[in-house]
Amino acid sequence: MTSGPRTDLGPFSGPNATAQPWAHTVGALQRTQKFTLCTVRADGRPHAVPLLAVWVSDGLAFCTGPEEQKVKNLATNRNCILTTGTNTLTGFDYVVEGTASLVTDAERLDGIATAFEQAYGWHLTREDGTWHGMGDGMRTASVQTYFVQPDIIFAFGNGEPFSETRYHFAR
């Protein structure tokens, strides 16, 4: 994104808060290694699960097994949320609201797999890595790879001043 999303300061910000620059937020999303994905089951009940994701091509990508609950949920409702952040009252929390799409294009799958391998290193590339072979699974589509196109991203600053920066993406 050349100019970045439209940015404003939300109503839950302290009186001395300023909007967090987009570069800071996208940098944090690029460095983050674990997110929580929130989807909705067909019967309306929520579903949340921690997973690996990478910021690539101005959105978040993740993969999962074809029989997982999140795949079933996204088949009926592609809207989802990914969250990450701190578990203290300092630092930032991030919420990415968007629409997930199944990625099937071989070139795009290769790019996402490469981004995962760069982000997670030996965990994916060495035989003793926890997720060894996941990149190849993405490339061969033996796992389901999703791309989440953001509609809005929130960066919640914890500590004085508390802040709520909103980044609005054009569709």
Side-chain angles (χ1 to χ4, degrees):
M1 222 171 275
T2 55
S3 64
R6 182 173 57 85
T7 304
D8 62 24
L9 196 59
F12 299 106
S13 300
N16 297 319
T18 57
Q20 189 66 25
W22 172 239
H24 180 273
T25 296
V26 77
L29 293 172
Q30 290 168 335
R31 290 186 304 275
T32 297
Q33 292 193 309
K34 191 172 84 174
F35 293 81
T36 299
L37 172 70
C38 305
T39 59
V40 179
R41 291 177 171 94
D43 65 5
R45 291 179 298 134
H47 178 258
V49 61
L51 51 65
L52 307 180
V54 293
W55 182 265
V56 61
S57 302
D58 297 324
L60 283 169
F62 66 90
C63 70
T64 186
E67 300 301 318
E68 297 291 329
Q69 184 64 50
K70 55 189 148 306
V71 171
K72 297 171 187 173
N73 297 349
L74 292 170
T76 59
N77 183 346
R78 295 177 32 217
N79 296 304
C80 63
I81 293 174
L82 289 124
T83 66
T84 192
T86 180
N87 63 354
T88 68
L89 292 178
T90 60
F92 284 84
D93 296 310
Y94 302 95
V95 178
V96 178
E97 293 184 13
T99 306
S101 298
L102 183 64
V103 179
T104 58
D105 176 75
E107 187 175 324
R108 197 160 177 217
L109 287 169
D110 182 59
I112 292 170
T114 299
F116 264 87
E117 290 165 348
Q118 291 171 346
Y120 296 99
W122 72 270
H123 293 288
L124 269 67
T125 58
R126 274 193 356 208
E127 286 189 22
D128 61 338
T130 304
W131 300 284
H132 179 259
M134 190 166 79
D136 291 336
M138 286 185 243
R139 288 182 181 95
T140 62
S142 62
V143 297
Q144 304 281 298
T145 301
Y146 288 88
F147 178 80
V148 178
Q149 177 65 53
D151 294 319
I152 188 168
I153 295 177
F154 297 89
F156 293 97
N158 298 297
E160 292 301 327
F162 286 88
S163 64
E164 173 198 3
T165 303
R166 303 178 297 191
Y167 308 96
H168 306 268
F169 293 81
R171 283 282 193 159

